């Protein structure tokens, strides 16, 4: 049990508590092995741990309470968990909607064990906010979800999230207090694996997005109605300008994290000039960290962090 209760109503409010997980103890020794586990390059555990400790330390220095769930597993679970290559991508495991936390369901079999490990701990820590569920095959990974504000949530169905997964979660999202759920269906490729590899909230009123997204409609659900918007119309209606990127390095440029309304936590490989090119982002405090070894697993800083509490 922790002294706080989960609460998140946006992607940009001040982050005060977050869940992480240290990388596994295994090396990925060569390119062939990396390709077989769907990583981009070989990875050394020692370097990955250095990256992780820099991420953890930077969050703590910013005043964020950090929970590394790998340290709270039982011995038998630890033995398995330390061999799970993708376990540090905790964003997919669960999501806080307002004051309610919902469990995800893995879209890839290689990741299924870590969902069980994390969900059991979350249920123990936050019994009033979270209840683990039995696997149903209704896949939902929360890298495909963005809590835009107190009114709207955007969800991508694609490689790792199904329409059935959204159907399973939608009533709980409405009950948490949100009035709209936007559903987008983006291309199914390694470069568009999750929603947060295609767009991200960079300010209370700015979304950064790959330019191709302007051509995609969003299916908008309320508790009683449905409609369609185009992507830009949907964002505009909820108070966001869209900063369209024509050129980008997907993981470091898109997959960043809001520490608070003034500060973004980004990879050292990110194109920092892209933030300075937008008038509403020019005064942002950009904090850079070295996560190159971790990014080889196919995700970035947002993928590695599960916000538990953000201030309104």
């Amino acid at each position: 049990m922790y002294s706080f209760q989960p609460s998140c109503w946006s992607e940009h409010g001040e982050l005060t508590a977050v869940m992480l997980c240290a990388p596994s103890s295994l090396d990925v020794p060569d390119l062939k092995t990396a390709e077989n586990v769907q990583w981009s390059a070989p990875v050394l555990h020692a370097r990955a741990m250095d990256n992780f400790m820099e991420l953890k330390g930077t969050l703590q220095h910013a005043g964020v309470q950090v929970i590394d769930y790998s340290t709270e597993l039982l011995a038998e679970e630890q033995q398995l968990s330390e061999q799970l290559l993708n376990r540090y991508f905790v964003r997919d495991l669960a999501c806080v909607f307002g004051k309610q936390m919902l469990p995800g369901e893995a879209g890839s079999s290689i990741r299924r064990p870590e969902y069980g490990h994390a969900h059991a701990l979350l249920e123990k820590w936050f019994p009033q906010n979270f209840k683990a569920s039995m696997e149903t095959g209704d896949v939902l990974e929360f890298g495909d979800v963005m809590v835009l504000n107190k009114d709207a949530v955007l969800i991508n169905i694609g490689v790792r999230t199904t329409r059935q997964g959204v159907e399973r979660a939608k009533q709980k999202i409405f009950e948490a207090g949100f009035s709209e759920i936007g559903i987008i269906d983006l291309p199914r490729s390694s470069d568009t694996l999750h929603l947060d590899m295609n767009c991200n909230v960079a300010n209370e009123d700015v979304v950064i997005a790959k330019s191709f997204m302007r051509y995609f409609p969003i299916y908008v659900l309320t508790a009683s109605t449905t409609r369609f918007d185009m992507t830009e119309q949907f964002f505009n209606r909820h108070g966001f300008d869209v900063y369209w990127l024509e050129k980008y390095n997907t993981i470091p440029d898109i997959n960043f994290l809001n520490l608070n309304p003034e500060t973004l936590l980004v990879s050292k490989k990110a194109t920092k000039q892209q933030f300075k090119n937008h008038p509403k982002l020019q005064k942002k405090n950009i904090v850079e960290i070295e996560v190159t070894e971790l990014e080889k697993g196919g995700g970035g800083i947002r993928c590695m962090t599960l916000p538990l509490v953000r201030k309104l």
Side-chain angles (χ1 to χ4, degrees), residues 20 26 51 68 76 156 209 294:
L20 307 182
L26 302 181
N51 283 188
D68 176 359
E76 184 178 344
N156 173 52
L294 294 173

Side-chain angles (χ1 to χ4, degrees), residues 62 66 73 104 111 143-144 180 184 223 232 237-238 255 297 308:
V66 176
L73 295 170
R111 300 203 59 190
D144 274 320
E180 283 193 3
I184 194 167
E232 189 162 28
R237 196 158 50 77
H238 289 290
N255 206 266
L308 298 173

Side-chain angles (χ1 to χ4, degrees), residues 241-289:
D241 293 338
V242 185
Y243 177 20
W244 299 110
L245 296 185
E246 302 290 340
K247 297 181 179 180
Y248 42 78
N249 186 356
T250 290
I251 292 174
D253 286 354
I254 305 290
N255 206 266
F256 51 82
L257 181 74
N258 291 266
L259 283 180
N260 56 55
E262 293 78 38
T263 309
L264 296 177
L265 183 62
V266 307
S267 167
K268 282 192 174 177
K269 294 181 70 177
T271 309
K272 268 70 70 177
Q273 189 58 42
Q274 73 178 9
F275 301 107
K276 302 304 180 184
N277 287 342
H278 192 284
K280 291 185 176 181
L281 303 180
Q282 289 174 352
K283 294 183 179 179
K284 280 284 183 181
N285 179 25
I286 307 296
V287 177
E288 301 176 60
I289 59 171

Side-chain angles (χ1 to χ4, degrees), residues 47-58:
R47 290 180 186 168
M49 276 301 297
D50 286 345
N51 283 188
F52 175 76
M53 294 307 295
E54 183 168 347
L55 169 61
K56 181 179 179 180
T58 302

Side-chain angles (χ1 to χ4, degrees), residues 208-263:
I208 290 179
K210 294 180 179 179
S211 59
F212 78 85
M213 285 184 65
R214 72 174 77 228
Y215 301 106
F216 281 73
I218 291 178
Y219 184 53
V220 182
L221 307 178
T222 71
S224 59
T225 66
T226 63
R227 57 173 287 183
F228 282 98
D229 270 347
M230 295 304 290
T231 296
E232 189 162 28
Q233 292 171 322
F234 179 81
F235 282 128
N236 290 167
R237 196 158 50 77
H238 289 290
F240 293 92
D241 293 338
V242 185
Y243 177 20
W244 299 110
L245 296 185
E246 302 290 340
K247 297 181 179 180
Y248 42 78
N249 186 356
T250 290
I251 292 174
D253 286 354
I254 305 290
N255 206 266
F256 51 82
L257 181 74
N258 291 266
L259 283 180
N260 56 55
E262 293 78 38
T263 309

